[in-house]
Amino acid sequence: MSHYQQPDGRQKLVVIGNGMGSVRFLEQLFASGQCRFHVTVLSEEDCPGYNRIQLSKLLAGSVDLDGIQLKSAAWYQQQGIELLMGENYKAIRIDRSLKRVVTHGGDTFDYDRLVLATGSLPNQIPVPGADLQGVLSFRSLADVNLMLEAGQGQAVVIGGGLLGLECGSGLAKRGMSVTIVDNMPMPMARQLDEHAGGLLRKELEGRGIAFRSSATLQSYQGVDGRVCGVQIDGEYLPASLVVVTAGVRPNIQLMQEAGLTCDRGVLVNERLQTSDPDIFTVGECAQMQLTGGQEAQSLLFGLVAPVYRHAEIVAASLLGDHDQTFTPVPIPTNLKVDGINLFSSGEFIPSDSDQVMTLDASDAGIYRKLVLQNNRIKGVLLYGDVTDGLWYQELMESGTDISSIRQQLIFGQRFLAA
Ligand SMILES: Cc1cc2nc3c(=O)[nH]c(=O)nc-3n(C[C@H](O)[C@H](O)[C@H](O)COP(=O)(O)OP(=O)(O)OC[C@H]3O[C@@H](n4cnc5c(N)ncnc54)[C@H](O)[C@@H]3O)c2cc1C
């Protein structure tokens, strides 16, 4: 077992994880060109942090590995960051009394400050056969490489949310025959209403993707330890590859074992500080307790925009600016499937007191819906033409009174200017 000593008079900062939050944090920390920490980053993955969002495009073949790299190995060197990668550098224990992190390979790293950026773990579905070879998740570069190795044949994707659709589309583009199985009645049921969900399903079916909606997975079937199909509601679907996209959960076992206060994620305040004041989190492993405003809120994170904000706040705090805090804002949904445009943000399923505006040109593949309350936009749903998405989003975030443009609002910003 080796013990890395502090190389100079600087404080030691250890970062666990080198995903999207971690990389943005490091960028911010070194943005001014000066950093008062000696920084060590421990990553269980084999390559420097990449743009996880672009894994869908990598799977579909529309970007290559270089195109998703966030920072080169040379960048870490130039900043003097010690980036240690691979299974041996997976952090397996945090000893808070000694302020020390222990890795799978047996190395130990002392810290003055520790940043946890371990992200999420994909949920598994507890049915027989879940450990068969060929039953995969969709979270990492390693997962995509395994999917690509599967070659052609039949694939089943479990889950018809954003990730499931992107995965199914990518596999179909690679020549696989794809069926998406979902227990909801339509794709992206959490982000779309019934009408938009129907349009999306029709478009994907037109591209050769089959759906089994309102269906329940009963088991994975295998031969010689390898998956050969799935059983759903009395139907057998053959498959040489099954990808499970059933949501994620914060990756916090390390923190629980270290005695940090946890619920579903590691509990943090609006400055991302854990129950140990020397330990911060960035990203999806965090669960934030907000006490300001009218009612207390507890937030989990599953999109990159809030994760980037975490990164800014923690970097600022470590550089001495303790005034930055997190404020939640609605984040639009973006499906990354070539040729399909949709935008969904805020509360687009109206309550009794809301007003709804719709524009339905389904034959042309266009549908718009705005949900209003007290002359303010509360929710936006755009299918087909999303050019006005950000404009509606700004109106919604700023709480702009739309009474003076109400007649033209549903047609979009260009119509207003005409
Ligand atoms: C296919 C796909 C598409 C997506 N598309 C979108 C999108 O369109 N828009 C959007 O906003 N978000 C999207 N997301 C979600 C987005 O990628 C995440 O919000 C973001 O990556 C979270 O950043 P993070 O740093 O918290 O976690 P991650 O990026 O997951 O990074 C965590 C890192 O920590 C490592 N790690 C964990 N435990 C340890 C340990 N003990 N020791 C060492 N290393 C460890 C992990 O291996 C991983 O590399 C997508 C995700 C996927 C998988």
Side-chain angles (χ1 to χ4, degrees), residues 15-23 42-45 50-56 86 89-92 117-121 138-140 162-163 166 251 254 282-285 301-307 331-332 334-336:
V15 182
I16 303 181
N18 190 222
M20 297 195 74
S22 166
V23 175
L42 302 173
S43 169
E44 65 181 359
E45 293 198 73
Y50 51 86
N51 188 338
R52 199 171 300 283
I53 291 176
Q54 300 282 355
L55 286 179
S56 304
Y89 292 108
K90 175 177 181 166
I92 57 160
T118 54
S120 291
L121 291 175
F138 186 24
R139 180 75 193 177
S140 66
L162 204 74
L163 221 57
E166 290 182 3
N251 182 3
L254 192 61
V282 166
E284 291 185 355
C285 57
F301 305 93
L303 293 169
V304 83
V307 168
I331 299 162
N334 173 23
L335 179 72
K336 300 181 298 300

Side-chain angles (χ1 to χ4, degrees), residues 347 349-356 371-373 378:
E347 295 173 44
I349 304 292
S351 65
D352 290 347
S353 59
D354 296 336
Q355 298 95 51
V356 181
V371 176
L372 307 176
Q373 193 175 59
K378 208 177 143 189

Side-chain angles (χ1 to χ4, degrees), residues 52-131:
R52 199 171 300 283
I53 291 176
Q54 300 282 355
L55 286 179
S56 304
K57 295 200 168 181
L58 187 71
L59 179 63
S62 46
V63 290
D64 61 14
L65 193 52
D66 285 347
I68 70 167
Q69 214 61 61
L70 288 170
K71 291 284 175 199
S72 64
W75 180 83
Y76 291 89
Q77 267 177 9
Q78 282 155 14
Q79 313 305 319
I81 299 169
E82 184 181 27
L83 172 62
L84 301 167
M85 297 174 287
E87 202 190 340
N88 275 345
Y89 292 108
K90 175 177 181 166
I92 57 160
R93 202 170 70 244
I94 302 167
D95 185 331
R96 291 200 292 128
S97 56
L98 293 175
K99 295 184 122 185
R100 180 171 291 171
V101 177
V102 182
T103 64
H104 177 73
D107 290 315
T108 59
F109 298 86
D110 291 351
Y111 64 83
D112 295 297
R113 300 292 169 86
L114 177 63
V115 173
L116 306 167
T118 54
S120 291
L121 291 175
N123 288 332
Q124 309 298 331
I125 303 178
V127 296
D131 54 354

Side-chain angles (χ1 to χ4, degrees), residues 102-394:
V102 182
T103 64
H104 177 73
D107 290 315
T108 59
F109 298 86
D110 291 351
Y111 64 83
D112 295 297
R113 300 292 169 86
L114 177 63
V115 173
L116 306 167
T118 54
S120 291
L121 291 175
N123 288 332
Q124 309 298 331
I125 303 178
V127 296
D131 54 354
L132 287 166
Q133 254 184 51
V135 177
L136 305 177
S137 303
F138 186 24
R139 180 75 193 177
S140 66
L141 188 55
D143 294 329
V144 172
N145 286 336
L146 286 172
M147 286 183 221
L148 295 178
E149 278 168 25
Q152 304 204 331
Q154 286 168 304
V156 167
V157 176
I158 309 290
L162 204 74
L163 221 57
L165 299 188
E166 290 182 3
C167 183
S169 300
L171 292 172
K173 268 193 110 177
R174 294 281 185 173
M176 293 198 93
S177 161
V178 176
T179 303
I180 297 180
V181 173
D182 195 16
N183 56 11
M184 303 298 274
M186 60 173 211
M188 290 182 69
R190 282 188 199 85
Q191 289 92 4
L192 301 180
D193 68 2
E194 213 176 318
H195 191 70
L199 290 175
L200 177 60
R201 178 174 169 151
K202 204 167 141 206
E203 172 65 36
L204 290 170
E205 282 173 340
R207 296 177 183 206
I209 295 176
F211 284 86
R212 296 289 186 278
S213 300
S214 303
T216 308
L217 174 72
Q218 288 165 338
S219 63
Y220 305 98
Q221 303 287 316
V223 175
D224 297 334
R226 213 192 140 82
V227 76
C228 62
V230 298
Q231 190 70 41
I232 54 161
D233 296 334
E235 185 184 5
Y236 174 74
L237 297 173
S240 55
L241 175 72
V242 178
V243 185
V244 183
T245 62
V248 294
R249 61 186 192 283
N251 182 3
I252 56 165
Q253 189 184 343
L254 192 61
M255 298 73 144
Q256 286 168 322
E257 289 172 0
L260 291 172
T261 310
C262 297
D263 179 29
R264 288 168 66 198
V266 191
L267 292 183
V268 295
N269 60 21
E270 65 265 50
R271 290 178 45 234
L272 280 306
Q273 198 170 32
T274 66
S275 53
D276 180 330
D278 291 326
I279 304 183
F280 295 80
T281 65
V282 166
E284 291 185 355
C285 57
Q287 179 175 349
M288 189 178 289
Q289 307 286 87
L290 290 181
T291 46
Q294 293 187 334
E295 53 188 273
Q297 270 182 294
S298 188
L299 305 175
L300 287 164
F301 305 93
L303 293 169
V304 83
V307 168
Y308 279 174
R309 181 66 192 136
H310 296 174
E312 287 165 13
I313 293 168
V314 176
S317 179
L318 290 174
L319 294 173
D321 170 4
H322 304 296
D323 293 335
Q324 296 202 29
T325 55
F326 186 86
T327 312
V329 287
I331 299 162
T333 293
N334 173 23
L335 179 72
K336 300 181 298 300
V337 174
D338 288 346
I340 299 183
N341 297 315
L342 59 85
F343 182 99
S344 143
S345 189
E347 295 173 44
F348 54 85
I349 304 292
S351 65
D352 290 347
S353 59
D354 296 336
Q355 298 95 51
V356 181
M357 287 182 176
T358 52
L359 185 151
D360 185 1
S362 302
D363 288 347
I366 291 175
Y367 172 66
R368 290 183 165 205
K369 174 173 171 183
L370 298 176
V371 176
L372 307 176
Q373 193 175 59
N374 298 330
N375 287 319
R376 284 169 178 82
I377 298 179
K378 208 177 143 189
V380 185
L381 184 51
L382 306 177
Y383 185 90
D385 174 10
V386 296
T387 38
D388 287 304
L390 291 178
W391 180 59
Y392 289 130
Q393 176 81 14
E394 277 166 26

